[in-house]
Amino acid sequence: NMASALFNMGSYTKCVNAADEFLKRFPNDRDLFLIKATSLSKQGNSQKAIEVYKQILSLDPANDFVAMTYIALEYEKLQEFDKAQEYADRAKSVYPNYSLLVYLMEKLEYERFTLSGKKIINFIKDYYLFYNESDKVLEAISEFLNKGEAYTIGDIINWLKR
């Protein structure tokens, strides 16, 4: 349909408008709601996307694990991790092996329970071009992590210079 074509072309605003027009004639069309919500998400409008995903969920509140997962993803983008976890848990109770949900659950676990200092260390290890692990660097990492959340930008700079 036209909404799908507009979505595939990356015309998300026009896609949302087209979906709204079609929804007037087909008010319970899950696919139209889904394409509208996804378009809103692609535009960075997570709050409106959540509203539309919730409309999808209202069509089948007990079983639509896809809508639950996408609501959780939008809340994760907004860094509302408790709400994200709530919807992810609901989706997991319906279909625990949904691959996107499995990925999201791992990401939420990391976001909710990993200290920011550890996140910085992981980022540096993964992306810092000149990272070279040595006894000296491991000692610096240990000192840094022992500070918990009390580290400073200076600590990071000093750690990178080792």
Side-chain angles (χ1 to χ4, degrees):
N1 68 31
M2 181 188 291
S4 295
L6 291 166
F7 179 85
N8 290 331
M9 292 173 16
S11 298
Y12 302 122
T13 301
K14 290 179 181 179
C15 177
V16 169
N17 293 336
D20 282 338
E21 286 302 313
F22 285 114
L23 283 166
K24 289 176 185 174
R25 286 182 265 166
F26 308 102
N28 293 322
D29 189 317
R30 183 187 181 283
D31 292 335
L32 285 170
F33 279 120
L34 187 60
I35 204 161
K36 178 181 177 181
T38 306
S39 292
L40 290 165
S41 178
K42 294 264 188 195
Q43 292 176 307
N45 197 338
S46 289
Q47 287 294 352
K48 285 188 179 178
I50 289 168
E51 291 172 21
V52 177
Y53 285 126
K54 285 183 177 181
Q55 287 178 298
I56 296 169
L57 191 55
S58 72
L59 299 173
D60 189 5
N63 296 311
D64 200 328
F65 65 89
V66 173
M68 294 173 200
T69 301
Y70 280 103
I71 292 169
L73 282 167
E74 294 302 323
Y75 278 126
E76 188 269 335
K77 286 181 192 174
L78 295 170
Q79 295 186 350
E80 294 184 35
F81 300 121
D82 290 339
K83 288 182 180 177
Q85 189 70 54
E86 173 190 337
Y87 281 93
D89 288 341
R90 285 177 62 186
K92 185 177 179 182
S93 71
V94 177
Y95 187 54
N97 297 324
Y98 181 41
S99 60
L100 181 59
L101 178 62
V102 170
Y103 162 78
L104 176 62
M105 296 292 279
E106 290 171 1
K107 190 172 182 187
L108 285 173
E109 176 83 13
Y110 180 80
E111 289 296 337
R112 294 179 77 209
F113 300 112
T114 304
L115 294 175
S116 57
K118 180 66 176 163
K119 290 176 186 175
I120 289 171
I121 298 294
N122 291 344
F123 177 82
I124 291 169
K125 284 181 174 181
D126 291 344
Y127 299 106
Y128 189 61
L129 182 61
F130 300 106
Y131 176 77
N132 185 10
E133 197 162 277
S134 66
D135 289 340
K136 190 174 176 181
V137 169
L138 291 174
E139 180 183 329
I141 289 173
S142 178
E143 289 172 16
F144 183 77
L145 291 176
N146 285 336
K147 287 189 169 206
E149 297 293 309
Y151 62 85
T152 65
I153 296 297
D155 293 327
I156 296 169
I157 291 168
N158 289 333
W159 182 72
L160 288 172
K161 288 181 179 179
R162 290 188 182 195

